[in-house]
Amino acid sequence: VRSYPLDGSWEVQWLGESTVIFVQKHFFTCIGSDYVINISEEDFRPRFLWPSGAVEQTSNQQIWPGTNGPDVGESLEWTTNAPGQEQIVWKRLSVNFNDCWRSVDIVAGSFVYQNCKQQDWSSLGPSYQATTIWGNT
């Protein structure tokens, strides 16, 4: 059982279009915008706001504490209050990150690729290796 039951990769489908997202610690990026999923402690339904703050995306499916959410191949159905985009479907592709890499900025104008399963994003950037010939890496 995971602390973040919606983590993994998902195919997102809406209005005849689709994209793949990678959710980690209930954070994800989709079409250049960042999102954070919250699961209500009252009704156990996941929800999040779109960047404008005016659109809320909510699922009627409950994710109970101690469960892992939908299995691979299963879907999570969402509704929004955005005209014309009332229904969005996420199909779970995986629950691990073996094939997930994302671009992470470390300094303006430069970036590294980091495996999505890495837990501590703050560890990016140079580090000092006193016991090797490499010094700062």
Side-chain angles (χ1 to χ4, degrees), residues 3-136:
S3 298
Y4 299 94
L6 298 181
D7 284 8
S9 59
W10 298 83
E11 179 185 14
V12 179
Q13 303 167 349
W14 75 102
L15 296 176
E17 297 187 45
S18 69
T19 190
V20 173
I21 61 170
F22 302 96
V23 180
Q24 185 174 27
K25 293 186 177 182
H26 285 180
F27 169 87
F28 67 96
T29 300
C30 184
I31 311 176
S33 295
D34 297 332
Y35 302 85
V36 178
I37 302 168
N38 295 301
I39 298 179
S40 167
E41 292 182 10
E42 294 176 11
D43 62 10
F44 306 106
R45 289 178 168 83
R47 59 180 40 94
F48 57 90
L49 291 176
W50 289 12
S52 68
V55 175
E56 182 177 47
Q57 186 165 324
T58 307
S59 177
N60 285 328
Q61 293 169 252
Q62 294 178 309
I63 309 294
W64 293 96
T67 65
N68 289 324
D71 289 329
V72 172
E74 293 182 345
S75 295
L76 186 60
E77 296 177 8
W78 300 85
T79 58
T80 76
N81 58 341
Q85 296 183 357
E86 291 88 0
Q87 294 186 334
I88 297 172
V89 176
W90 289 17
K91 181 179 177 185
R92 183 168 241 162
L93 302 176
S94 73
V95 293
N96 63 44
F97 296 104
N98 292 336
D99 299 318
C100 171
W101 292 86
R102 68 186 292 171
S103 169
V104 180
D105 294 330
I106 56 173
V107 177
S110 65
F111 65 92
V112 296
Y113 283 106
Q114 180 180 28
N115 197 296
C116 291
K117 67 183 175 183
Q118 181 170 336
Q119 297 296 314
D120 184 11
W121 295 96
S122 65
S123 66
L124 288 176
S127 62
Y128 181 67
Q129 306 293 326
T131 60
T132 71
I133 62 171
W134 302 108
N136 292 323

